[in-house]
Coordinates of all heavy atoms in Angstrom, one line a residue:
M201 N 0.8 -1.1 -0.1 CA 0.0 0.0 0.0 C 0.9 1.3 0.1 O 2.0 1.3 0.7 CB -0.9 0.0 1.4 CG -2.2 0.6 1.0 SD -3.2 0.5 2.5 CE -4.4 -0.7 1.8
K202 N 0.5 2.2 -0.7 CA 1.3 3.4 -0.9 C 0.9 4.4 0.2 O -0.2 4.5 0.8 CB 1.0 4.1 -2.2 CG 1.3 3.2 -3.4 CD 1.0 4.0 -4.6 CE 1.3 3.0 -5.9 NZ 0.8 3.6 -7.1
E203 N 1.9 5.3 0.6 CA 1.6 6.2 1.6 C 0.5 7.2 1.2 O -0.4 7.5 2.1 CB 2.9 7.2 1.8 CG 2.8 8.2 2.9 CD 3.9 9.0 3.0 OE1 5.1 8.5 2.5 OE2 3.9 10.1 3.5
Q204 N 0.3 7.5 0.1 CA -0.9 8.3 -0.4 C -2.3 7.7 -0.2 O -3.3 8.4 0.1 CB -0.8 8.8 -1.8 CG -0.9 7.6 -2.8 CD -0.4 8.0 -4.2 OE1 0.3 9.0 -4.4 NE2 -0.7 7.2 -5.1
D205 N -2.3 6.4 0.0 CA -3.4 5.7 0.4 C -3.9 5.9 1.8 O -5.1 5.8 2.1 CB -3.4 4.1 0.2 CG -3.2 3.7 -1.2 OD1 -3.6 4.5 -2.1 OD2 -2.5 2.6 -1.3
F206 N -3.1 6.5 2.6 CA -3.4 6.7 4.0 C -3.7 8.2 4.3 O -4.2 8.5 5.2 CB -2.2 6.4 5.0 CG -2.1 4.9 5.0 CD1 -0.9 4.4 4.4 CD2 -2.8 4.1 5.7 CE1 -0.7 3.0 4.4 CE2 -2.6 2.8 5.7 CZ -1.5 2.2 5.0
I207 N -3.7 9.0 3.3 CA -3.9 10.4 3.3 C -5.5 10.7 3.3 O -6.2 10.2 2.6 CB -3.4 11.3 2.3 CG1 -1.8 11.1 2.4 CG2 -3.8 12.7 2.4 CD1 -1.1 11.8 1.3
F208 N -5.9 11.3 4.4 CA -7.5 11.6 4.4 C -7.6 13.1 4.3 O -7.0 13.9 4.9 CB -8.0 11.2 5.9 CG -9.3 11.7 6.1 CD1 -10.3 10.9 5.5 CD2 -9.6 12.7 6.9 CE1 -11.6 11.3 5.7 CE2 -10.9 13.2 7.1 CZ -11.9 12.6 6.6
K209 N -8.4 13.4 3.3 CA -8.6 14.9 3.0 C -10.1 15.2 3.3 O -10.8 14.4 2.8 CB -8.3 15.3 1.6 CG -6.8 15.0 1.2 CD -6.5 15.4 -0.2 CE -5.0 15.3 -0.4 NZ -4.6 15.6 -1.8
S210 N -10.2 16.2 4.1 CA -11.6 16.6 4.5 C -11.9 17.9 3.8 O -11.1 18.9 3.9 CB -11.7 16.7 6.0 OG -13.0 17.2 6.4
Q211 N -13.0 18.1 3.4 CA -13.4 19.4 2.9 C -13.5 20.5 4.1 O -13.2 21.6 3.8 CB -14.8 19.3 2.2 CG -14.8 18.6 1.0 CD -16.2 18.5 0.3 OE1 -17.2 18.8 1.0 NE2 -16.3 18.1 -0.9
S212 N -13.8 19.9 5.3 CA -13.8 20.8 6.4 C -12.6 20.6 7.2 O -12.7 20.8 8.6 CB -15.1 20.6 7.2 OG -15.1 19.2 7.7
G213 N -11.4 20.3 6.8 CA -10.2 19.9 7.5 C -9.7 21.3 8.2 O -8.9 21.0 9.1
T214 N -10.1 22.3 7.8 CA -9.5 23.6 8.6 C -10.8 24.3 9.0 O -11.8 24.5 8.4 CB -8.6 24.4 7.7 OG1 -9.3 24.8 6.5 CG2 -7.4 23.7 7.4
G215 N -10.6 25.2 10.1 CA -11.5 26.1 10.6 C -11.6 27.2 9.8 O -10.8 27.6 9.0
S216 N -12.5 28.1 10.3 CA -12.6 29.5 9.5 C -11.3 30.3 9.7 O -11.1 31.2 8.8 CB -13.9 30.3 10.1 OG -13.8 30.5 11.5
N217 N -10.7 30.1 10.8 CA -9.5 31.0 10.9 C -8.3 30.2 10.3 O -7.1 30.8 10.4 CB -9.2 31.1 12.4 CG -8.9 29.9 13.2 OD1 -9.0 28.8 12.6 ND2 -8.7 30.1 14.4
G218 N -8.4 29.1 9.5 CA -7.4 28.4 8.9 C -6.8 27.4 9.7 O -5.8 26.7 9.2
A219 N -7.1 27.4 11.0 CA -6.3 26.2 11.9 C -7.0 25.0 11.6 O -8.1 24.8 11.3 CB -6.6 26.7 13.4
S220 N -6.2 23.9 11.9 CA -6.6 22.6 11.7 C -7.6 22.2 12.7 O -7.5 22.7 14.0 CB -5.4 21.6 11.7 OG -4.6 21.8 10.6
K221 N -8.7 21.5 12.3 CA -9.6 21.0 13.4 C -9.0 19.8 14.1 O -8.2 19.0 13.5 CB -10.9 20.6 12.6 CG -11.7 21.7 12.2 CD -13.0 21.2 11.7 CE -14.0 22.2 11.4 NZ -15.3 21.8 11.0
S222 N -9.4 19.6 15.3 CA -9.0 18.3 16.0 C -9.9 17.2 15.5 O -10.9 17.4 14.8 CB -9.3 18.5 17.5 OG -10.7 18.5 17.8
L223 N -9.4 16.0 15.8 CA -10.1 14.8 15.5 C -11.4 14.9 16.1 O -12.4 14.4 15.5 CB -9.2 13.6 15.8 CG -9.9 12.3 15.6 CD1 -10.1 12.1 14.1 CD2 -8.9 11.2 16.0
E224 N -11.5 15.3 17.4 CA -12.8 15.3 18.0 C -13.8 16.3 17.3 O -15.0 16.1 17.2 CB -12.6 15.8 19.5 CG -13.9 15.8 20.2 CD -13.8 16.1 21.8 OE1 -12.7 16.3 22.1 OE2 -14.8 16.0 22.4
D225 N -13.3 17.4 16.8 CA -14.1 18.4 16.1 C -14.7 17.7 14.8 O -15.8 17.9 14.3 CB -13.3 19.7 15.7 CG -13.1 20.5 16.9 OD1 -13.8 20.5 18.0 OD2 -12.1 21.4 16.8
M226 N -13.8 17.0 14.1 CA -14.1 16.4 12.9 C -15.1 15.1 13.1 O -16.2 15.1 12.4 CB -13.0 15.8 12.1 CG -12.2 16.9 11.6 SD -10.5 16.4 10.9 CE -11.3 15.7 9.3
E227 N -14.9 14.5 14.2 CA -15.9 13.4 14.6 C -17.3 14.0 15.0 O -18.3 13.6 14.5 CB -15.4 12.6 15.8 CG -16.3 11.6 16.3 CD -16.0 11.0 17.6 OE1 -15.9 11.5 18.6 OE2 -15.8 9.7 17.6
R228 N -17.3 15.1 15.8 CA -18.5 15.7 16.1 C -19.3 16.2 14.9 O -20.5 16.0 14.8 CB -18.2 16.9 17.1 CG -19.5 17.8 17.4 CD -19.1 19.0 18.2 NE -20.2 19.7 18.7 CZ -20.9 20.6 18.0 NH1 -20.5 20.8 16.7 NH2 -21.9 21.1 18.5
G229 N -18.6 16.9 14.0 CA -19.2 17.4 12.7 C -19.8 16.2 11.9 O -21.0 16.3 11.5
H230 N -19.1 15.2 11.8 CA -19.6 14.0 11.0 C -20.7 13.4 11.5 O -21.8 13.1 11.0 CB -18.5 13.1 10.8 CG -18.8 11.8 10.0 ND1 -19.2 11.9 8.7 CD2 -19.0 10.5 10.4 CE1 -19.5 10.8 8.2 NE2 -19.3 9.9 9.2
I231 N -20.7 13.1 12.9 CA -21.8 12.5 13.7 C -23.0 13.3 13.6 O -24.1 12.9 13.2 CB -21.4 12.2 15.2 CG1 -20.4 11.0 15.3 CG2 -22.7 11.8 15.9 CD1 -19.9 10.8 16.6
L232 N -22.9 14.6 14.0 CA -24.1 15.5 13.9 C -24.7 15.6 12.5 O -25.9 15.6 12.3 CB -23.8 16.9 14.4 CG -23.4 16.9 15.9 CD1 -23.0 18.3 16.3 CD2 -24.3 16.4 16.7
R233 N -23.9 15.6 11.4 CA -24.4 15.6 10.1 C -25.2 14.4 9.8 O -26.4 14.5 9.1 CB -23.2 15.8 9.1 CG -23.5 16.2 7.8 CD -22.4 16.7 6.8 NE -21.1 16.1 7.2 CZ -20.1 16.6 7.9 NH1 -20.3 17.8 8.4 NH2 -19.0 16.0 8.1
V234 N -24.7 13.3 10.2 CA -25.3 12.0 9.8 C -26.7 11.8 10.6 O -27.7 11.5 10.1 CB -24.4 10.8 10.0 CG1 -25.2 9.5 10.0 CG2 -23.2 10.7 9.2
V235 N -26.6 12.4 11.9 CA -28.0 12.3 12.6 C -29.0 13.2 12.0 O -30.1 12.9 11.9 CB -27.6 12.7 14.1 CG1 -28.9 12.8 15.0 CG2 -26.8 11.5 14.8
E236 N -28.5 14.5 11.6 CA -29.4 15.4 11.0 C -29.9 14.8 9.7 O -31.2 14.9 9.4 CB -28.7 16.7 10.7 CG -28.4 17.4 12.0 CD -29.4 17.9 12.9 OE1 -30.5 18.2 12.4 OE2 -29.1 18.0 14.1
E237 N -29.2 14.1 8.9 CA -29.5 13.6 7.5 C -30.6 12.4 7.9 O -31.4 12.2 7.0 CB -28.5 13.1 6.9 CG -27.6 14.2 6.2 CD -26.3 13.9 5.5 OE1 -26.2 12.6 5.4 OE2 -25.5 14.7 5.1
C238 N -30.5 11.8 9.0 CA -31.4 10.7 9.4 C -32.6 11.3 9.9 O -33.4 10.6 10.6 CB -30.7 9.7 10.2 SG -29.5 8.8 9.5
G239 N -32.8 12.5 10.0 CA -34.0 13.2 10.6 C -34.0 13.0 12.2 O -35.1 12.9 12.8
G240 N -32.8 12.8 12.8 CA -32.8 12.6 14.3 C -33.0 11.1 14.6 O -32.9 10.7 16.0
N241 N -33.2 10.1 13.6 CA -33.4 8.8 14.0 C -31.9 8.2 14.5 O -31.1 7.9 13.5 CB -33.9 8.1 12.8 CG -34.1 6.6 13.1 OD1 -33.4 5.9 13.8 ND2 -35.2 6.1 12.5
Q242 N -31.9 8.0 15.8 CA -30.4 7.7 16.3 C -30.1 6.3 15.9 O -29.0 5.9 15.7 CB -30.3 7.9 17.7 CG -30.5 9.4 18.2 CD -30.5 9.5 19.6 OE1 -29.9 8.8 20.4 NE2 -31.2 10.6 20.1
S243 N -31.1 5.4 15.8 CA -30.8 3.9 15.6 C -30.3 3.9 14.1 O -29.3 3.1 13.8 CB -32.1 3.2 15.7 OG -32.5 3.1 16.9
R244 N -30.9 4.7 13.2 CA -30.5 4.5 11.7 C -29.1 5.2 11.6 O -28.2 4.7 10.9 CB -31.5 5.3 10.8 CG -31.1 5.5 9.5 CD -31.1 4.1 8.8 NE -30.8 4.2 7.3 CZ -30.0 3.4 6.8 NH1 -29.4 2.4 7.3 NH2 -29.6 3.7 5.5
A245 N -28.9 6.3 12.3 CA -27.6 7.0 12.3 C -26.5 6.1 12.7 O -25.5 6.1 12.1 CB -27.6 8.3 13.1
A246 N -26.8 5.4 14.0 CA -25.8 4.6 14.5 C -25.5 3.4 13.5 O -24.3 3.1 13.4 CB -26.3 4.0 15.8
E247 N -26.5 2.9 12.9 CA -26.2 1.9 11.9 C -25.3 2.4 10.7 O -24.4 1.7 10.3 CB -27.5 1.5 11.3 CG -27.5 0.2 10.2 CD -28.9 -0.1 9.8 OE1 -29.8 -0.3 10.7 OE2 -29.1 -0.3 8.6
L248 N -25.7 3.5 10.2 CA -24.8 4.2 9.2 C -23.4 4.5 9.6 O -22.3 4.3 8.8 CB -25.4 5.5 8.7 CG -26.8 5.3 7.8 CD1 -27.4 6.7 7.5 CD2 -26.5 4.5 6.5
L249 N -23.1 4.8 10.8 CA -21.9 5.2 11.4 C -21.2 3.9 11.9 O -20.1 4.1 12.1 CB -22.1 6.1 12.7 CG -22.6 7.5 12.2 CD1 -23.0 8.3 13.6 CD2 -21.5 8.3 11.5
D250 N -21.9 2.8 11.8 CA -21.3 1.6 12.3 C -20.8 1.5 13.7 O -19.6 1.1 14.1 CB -20.1 1.1 11.3 CG -20.0 -0.4 11.4 OD1 -20.8 -1.0 11.9 OD2 -18.7 -0.7 11.2
I251 N -21.6 2.2 14.7 CA -21.3 2.3 16.1 C -22.5 1.7 16.8 O -23.7 1.9 16.1 CB -20.8 3.6 16.5 CG1 -21.9 4.8 16.3 CG2 -19.5 4.0 15.9 CD1 -21.5 6.1 16.9
D252 N -22.4 1.4 18.1 CA -23.5 1.0 18.8 C -24.4 2.2 19.1 O -24.0 3.2 19.2 CB -23.0 0.4 20.1 CG -24.1 -0.1 21.0 OD1 -24.6 -1.3 20.6 OD2 -24.5 0.4 22.0
R253 N -25.7 1.9 19.2 CA -26.7 3.1 19.5 C -26.4 3.7 20.7 O -26.5 5.0 20.8 CB -28.1 2.4 19.4 CG -29.2 3.4 19.5 CD -30.6 2.9 19.6 NE -30.7 1.8 20.6 CZ -30.8 2.0 21.9 NH1 -30.9 3.2 22.4 NH2 -30.9 1.0 22.7
V254 N -26.1 3.0 21.7 CA -25.8 3.5 23.0 C -24.4 4.5 23.0 O -24.5 5.6 23.6 CB -25.7 2.5 24.2 CG1 -25.2 3.1 25.5 CG2 -26.9 1.7 24.3
T255 N -23.5 4.1 22.2 CA -22.3 4.9 22.0 C -22.6 6.2 21.4 O -22.3 7.2 21.8 CB -21.4 4.1 21.2 OG1 -20.9 2.8 21.9 CG2 -20.1 5.0 20.8
L256 N -23.6 6.1 20.4 CA -24.0 7.4 19.7 C -24.7 8.2 20.7 O -24.6 9.4 20.8 CB -24.9 6.9 18.5 CG -25.5 8.2 17.8 CD1 -24.4 9.0 17.2 CD2 -26.5 7.7 16.7
Y257 N -25.7 7.6 21.4 CA -26.4 8.4 22.3 C -25.4 9.2 23.4 O -25.7 10.4 23.6 CB -27.3 7.4 23.2 CG -28.0 8.2 24.4 CD1 -29.1 8.9 24.2 CD2 -27.3 8.0 25.7 CE1 -29.8 9.6 25.4 CE2 -28.0 8.6 26.7 CZ -29.1 9.3 26.7 OH -29.7 10.1 27.7
H258 N -24.4 8.6 23.8 CA -23.4 9.2 24.8 C -22.7 10.3 24.0 O -22.4 11.3 24.6 CB -22.5 8.2 25.4 CG -23.1 7.2 26.4 ND1 -23.5 7.7 27.5 CD2 -23.4 6.0 26.4 CE1 -24.2 6.7 28.2 NE2 -24.1 5.6 27.6
K259 N -22.3 10.0 22.8 CA -21.5 11.1 22.1 C -22.5 12.3 21.7 O -22.0 13.3 21.9 CB -21.0 10.5 20.8 CG -19.8 9.5 20.8 CD -19.4 9.1 19.6 CE -18.1 8.1 19.8 NZ -16.9 8.8 20.2
L260 N -23.8 12.0 21.4 CA -24.6 13.2 21.2 C -24.9 13.9 22.5 O -24.9 15.2 22.4 CB -26.0 12.6 20.6 CG -26.0 12.0 19.3 CD1 -27.3 11.4 19.0 CD2 -25.7 13.1 18.2
K261 N -24.9 13.3 23.7 CA -25.2 14.0 24.9 C -23.9 14.8 25.2 O -23.9 15.9 25.6 CB -25.3 12.9 26.0 CG -25.6 13.5 27.4 CD -25.8 12.3 28.4 CE -26.2 13.0 29.8 NZ -26.4 12.1 30.7
K262 N -22.8 14.2 24.9 CA -21.4 14.9 25.1 C -21.4 16.3 24.3 O -20.8 17.2 24.7 CB -20.2 14.1 24.8 CG -18.9 14.7 24.8 CD -17.9 13.7 24.3 CE -16.5 14.3 24.2 NZ -15.5 13.3 23.7
Y263 N -22.0 16.0 23.0 CA -21.9 17.2 22.1 C -23.0 18.2 22.2 O -23.1 19.2 21.5 CB -21.7 16.7 20.5 CG -20.6 15.9 20.3 CD1 -20.7 14.8 19.5 CD2 -19.3 16.3 20.8 CE1 -19.5 13.9 19.1 CE2 -18.2 15.5 20.4 CZ -18.5 14.3 19.7 OH -17.3 13.7 19.4
G264 N -23.9 17.8 23.1 CA -25.1 18.8 23.5 C -26.1 18.8 22.3 O -27.0 19.6 22.3
W265 N -26.2 17.8 21.5 CA -27.3 17.6 20.5 C -28.5 17.1 21.3 O -28.7 16.3 22.2 CB -26.9 16.5 19.5 CG -27.9 16.3 18.5 CD1 -27.8 17.0 17.3 CD2 -29.0 15.5 18.4 NE1 -28.9 16.6 16.6 CE2 -29.6 15.6 17.2 CE3 -29.5 14.5 19.4 CZ2 -30.8 15.0 16.8 CZ3 -30.7 13.8 19.0 CH2 -31.3 14.0 17.7
T266 N -29.8 17.8 20.9 CA -31.0 17.4 21.3 C -32.0 17.1 20.2 O -31.7 17.7 19.1 CB -31.6 18.5 22.3 OG1 -31.8 19.7 21.4 CG2 -30.7 18.8 23.5
R267 N -33.0 16.3 20.4 CA -33.9 16.0 19.4 C -34.7 17.3 18.9 O -35.0 17.4 17.9 CB -35.0 15.1 20.1 CG -36.2 14.7 19.1 CD -35.6 13.9 18.1 NE -36.7 13.7 17.1 CZ -36.7 13.0 16.1 NH1 -35.6 12.3 15.8 NH2 -37.8 12.9 15.3
T268 N -34.9 18.2 19.9 CA -35.5 19.5 19.6 C -34.8 20.3 18.4 O -35.4 21.0 17.6 CB -35.8 20.3 20.8 OG1 -34.4 20.6 21.3 CG2 -36.6 19.8 21.7
S269 N -33.5 20.1 18.2 CA -32.9 20.8 17.2 C -33.2 20.2 15.9 O -33.3 21.1 14.9 CB -31.3 20.7 17.5 OG -30.9 19.2 17.2
V270 N -33.7 19.0 15.7 CA -34.1 18.6 14.5 C -35.5 18.9 14.3 O -35.9 19.4 13.2 CB -34.0 17.1 14.4 CG1 -34.7 16.5 13.1 CG2 -32.5 16.5 14.5
D271 N -36.3 18.9 15.3 CA -37.8 19.3 15.2 C -37.9 20.8 14.9 O -39.0 21.1 14.2 CB -38.5 19.0 16.6 CG -38.7 17.5 16.8 OD1 -38.5 16.7 15.9 OD2 -38.9 17.1 18.0
R272 N -37.1 21.7 15.4 CA -37.2 23.1 15.0 C -37.1 23.2 13.5 O -37.6 24.2 13.0 CB -36.2 23.9 15.7 CG -36.6 24.1 17.1 CD -35.6 25.2 17.8 NE -35.1 24.5 18.9 CZ -33.8 24.4 19.3 NH1 -32.9 24.9 18.7 NH2 -33.5 23.9 20.4
E273 N -36.5 22.5 12.8 CA -36.2 22.6 11.3 C -37.4 22.1 10.6 O -37.6 22.5 9.4 CB -34.8 21.9 10.9 CG -33.6 22.6 11.5 CD -32.4 21.7 11.2 OE1 -32.5 20.7 10.5 OE2 -31.4 22.0 11.8
K274 N -38.2 21.3 11.1 CA -39.4 20.8 10.4 C -40.5 21.7 10.5 O -40.6 22.6 11.3 CB -39.9 19.4 11.1 CG -38.8 18.3 11.0 CD -39.5 17.1 11.7 CE -38.4 15.9 11.5 NZ -39.1 14.8 12.2
K275 N -41.4 21.6 9.5 CA -42.6 22.4 9.5 C -43.5 21.9 10.7 O -43.5 20.6 11.0 CB -43.4 22.2 8.3 CG -42.6 22.8 7.1 CD -43.3 22.6 5.8 CE -42.6 23.0 4.6 NZ -43.1 22.8 3.4
P276 N -44.3 22.7 11.3 CA -45.1 22.4 12.4 C -46.0 21.2 12.2 O -46.1 20.4 13.2 CB -46.1 23.6 12.8 CG -45.2 24.7 12.0 CD -44.5 24.2 10.9
D277 N -46.5 20.9 11.1 CA -47.3 19.7 10.9 C -46.6 18.4 10.7 O -47.1 17.3 10.7 CB -48.2 19.9 9.6 CG -47.4 20.1 8.2 OD1 -46.3 20.8 8.4 OD2 -47.8 19.7 7.2
Q278 N -45.1 18.5 10.7 CA -44.3 17.3 10.5 C -43.8 16.9 11.9 O -43.2 15.8 12.0 CB -43.1 17.7 9.7 CG -43.4 17.9 8.3 CD -42.1 18.4 7.4 OE1 -41.3 19.1 7.9 NE2 -41.9 17.7 6.3
V279 N -43.9 17.6 12.9 CA -43.3 17.4 14.2 C -44.3 16.4 15.0 O -45.5 16.6 15.0 CB -43.3 18.7 15.1 CG1 -42.8 18.4 16.5 CG2 -42.4 19.6 14.4
A280 N -43.7 15.3 15.3 CA -44.5 14.2 16.0 C -44.9 14.7 17.4 O -44.2 15.4 18.2 CB -43.6 13.0 16.3
R281 N -46.2 14.4 17.7 CA -46.8 14.9 19.0 C -47.0 13.7 20.0 O -47.1 12.7 19.7 CB -48.1 15.6 18.7 CG -47.9 16.7 17.8 CD -49.2 17.5 17.7 NE -49.2 18.5 16.5 CZ -48.5 19.6 16.7 NH1 -48.0 20.0 17.6 NH2 -48.5 20.3 15.5

């Protein structure tokens, strides 16, 4: 395997000030993006991320994500009651 096969390039690899993001920042962004794309469905997001649902739950809690952040983006008639 060539060295270039190990290079990971991210579109969001640098912050707005040009500084490199930490691995934790990159993980947070990726996890939150996947959860949002799944409409907040944590089971589906965990499956796509290939991590345990409980692990995802703990990471989301650590990152301060809440279900209401997804619900606010939906139209009022789409929010489950």
Side-chain angles (χ1 to χ4, degrees):
M201 211 174 255
K202 298 177 185 173
E203 182 179 338
Q204 62 197 16
D205 293 336
F206 294 106
I207 297 174
F208 174 76
K209 294 182 180 181
S210 170
Q211 293 177 347
S212 60
T214 59
S216 58
N217 63 0
S220 294
K221 285 189 174 184
S222 70
L223 181 58
E224 184 175 5
D225 290 338
M226 292 177 72
E227 177 189 62
R228 178 185 186 275
H230 182 64
I231 287 173
L232 295 179
R233 192 168 31 259
V234 170
V235 172
E236 297 293 326
E237 288 175 5
C238 290
N241 183 327
Q242 294 179 32
S243 295
R244 177 70 180 135
E247 183 180 312
L248 289 173
L249 292 164
D250 197 27
I251 61 175
D252 187 75
R253 186 185 50 81
V254 175
T255 300
L256 177 60
Y257 171 82
H258 289 291
K259 287 183 180 288
L260 291 172
K261 185 175 179 180
K262 174 182 174 182
Y263 298 142
W265 183 88
T266 62
R267 175 73 188 179
T268 56
S269 63
V270 173
D271 289 344
R272 277 188 235 133
E273 295 175 6
K274 294 180 180 178
K275 295 177 184 173
D277 60 327
Q278 292 177 318
V279 177
R281 299 187 196 279

